[in-house]
Amino acid sequence: MDLNTVMEIRDARHPAPWRPGDAWLGGGTYLFSEPQPHLRRLVDLSRTGWIPVQQHLDGSLEIAATCTVAELSAFAKGLAAEAAPLFEQCCRAFLASFKIWNMATVGGNLGNGLPAGPMISLTAGLDGECLLIAQEGSRRRIRVVDFITGAGCKILTEGELIRSVTLPARALACRTAFRQASLYGLGRSGVLIIGTLDPLDDSLAVTITASTVRPFRLWFPLPPTGEALRSAIGSAVADDEWFDDIHGLPDWRRHMTYRYAEEIRQELTQQEAR
């Protein structure tokens, strides 16, 4: 879509004062999908040269905000980590063509903050941490589960940039389980649940996304009983935090969340018992 109110595109490599009507441009798959009458200038990140994905010496994985879905999928195919299959599962949870895969970025998916964002699901499920850079250059780190505060709501300040997301080595070493539901084939996620079982201490984490307005990551020092898991979900998610839109009613999302969370609990604990 033509954005006929945009008068300038600025290269992000050359800093300039942020002003009203500015927006970061990554892949542009959201920006150019619908009218943006409030925008006057785009700050283009495509020439920053950030390495899409890199593994650090401590085993952690840093994913640049400009990393595309296609780049992340390709990298994960060669990733020697227990949690590697989860990357492709979340990439495939996109309601997107190959053209979108080659343009849509991890940072853009997080920056939109939509409940169905599968990069939110992936990075929250693996206990990811965002690196944010303010206009004056100060940096802060915040967990993905705290970065999203509601449907389309983030803690970003004016002009603040998502630089990258780091996934800890310990999370990458976890066994994972994945469940996703949509009301129709290849549709937008109405429910997406991720479970991780830590082989070091047998702790279990269940991350709820898509069915709720923001991510919820429930951590248990030892795998809970089915009743304890249901109780934890009921205590964590308030009635008004179940998402409601054309892709699923809150009651259906709640029901499927409880069902999938229990399936994940059984899958990971049965694997552990073998």
Side-chain angles (χ1 to χ4, degrees):
M1 172 173 289
D2 291 335
L3 302 181
N4 56 18
T5 61
V6 173
M7 307 302 294
E8 180 185 354
I9 296 181
R10 180 171 69 79
D11 190 332
R13 295 174 299 175
H14 308 299
W18 192 266
R19 61 195 193 196
D22 281 359
W24 298 109
L25 171 63
T29 55
Y30 166 71
L31 281 179
F32 292 100
S33 69
E34 59 183 52
Q36 310 285 348
H38 61 292
L39 296 185
R40 299 294 179 269
R41 183 173 66 168
L42 302 179
V43 184
D44 185 12
L45 297 167
S46 65
R47 296 183 179 90
T48 54
W50 296 338
I51 298 172
V53 194
Q54 54 184 325
Q55 192 153 23
H56 297 299
L57 292 177
D58 64 358
S60 64
L61 204 65
E62 184 176 7
I63 306 169
T66 50
C67 176
T68 66
V69 178
E71 289 172 328
L72 184 61
S73 172
F75 179 89
K77 286 179 172 62
L79 179 62
E82 188 72 28
L86 188 62
F87 287 76
E88 188 69 8
Q89 289 170 322
C90 287
C91 287
R92 293 291 170 185
F94 264 101
L95 177 59
S97 68
F98 74 92
K99 293 179 288 186
I100 298 296
W101 264 47
N102 281 280
M103 292 301 296
T105 62
V106 172
N109 199 243
L110 267 73
N112 278 339
L114 300 178
M119 296 298 96
I120 296 173
S121 304
L122 172 67
T123 54
L126 292 178
D127 201 20
E129 183 180 68
C130 298
L131 171 59
L132 309 179
I133 304 178
Q135 280 296 298
E136 78 280 3
S138 64
R139 299 183 173 214
R140 60 176 175 148
R141 293 184 180 274
I142 187 164
R143 295 173 69 210
V144 174
V145 291
D146 300 319
F147 174 73
I148 309 293
T149 59
C153 301
K154 300 80 61 180
I155 64 160
L156 287 171
T157 59
E158 184 67 22
E160 196 169 25
L161 171 69
I162 305 172
R163 170 59 181 86
S164 62
V165 182
T166 299
L167 308 179
R170 187 161 178 175
L172 294 170
C174 290
R175 286 195 294 276
T176 65
F178 173 93
R179 296 291 189 281
Q180 184 259 359
S182 173
L183 288 178
Y184 50 95
L186 302 179
R188 179 176 294 180
S189 297
V191 183
L192 201 159
I193 314 295
I194 291 170
T196 59
L197 185 70
D198 192 326
L200 294 180
D201 60 7
D202 290 336
S203 61
L204 176 72
V206 176
T207 303
I208 302 168
T209 55
S211 58
T212 50
V213 297
R214 60 183 177 88
F216 288 87
R217 191 171 190 271
L218 309 179
W219 181 83
F220 304 90
L222 290 173
T225 63
E227 182 179 349
L229 177 58
R230 288 185 62 87
S231 177
I233 295 172
S235 297
V237 185
D239 288 343
D240 61 354
E241 290 180 311
W242 295 102
F243 194 44
D244 183 8
D245 73 350
I246 193 172
H247 300 285
L249 294 174
D251 286 346
W252 173 75
R253 294 178 191 262
R254 181 190 292 110
H255 169 76
M256 294 303 294
T257 295
Y258 281 115
R259 172 180 168 178
Y260 283 163
E262 175 58 18
E263 287 184 8
I264 283 173
R265 183 192 72 85
Q266 292 186 24
E267 177 181 332
L268 291 177
T269 54
Q270 287 170 2
Q271 288 178 359
E272 179 65 12
R274 291 173 185 170

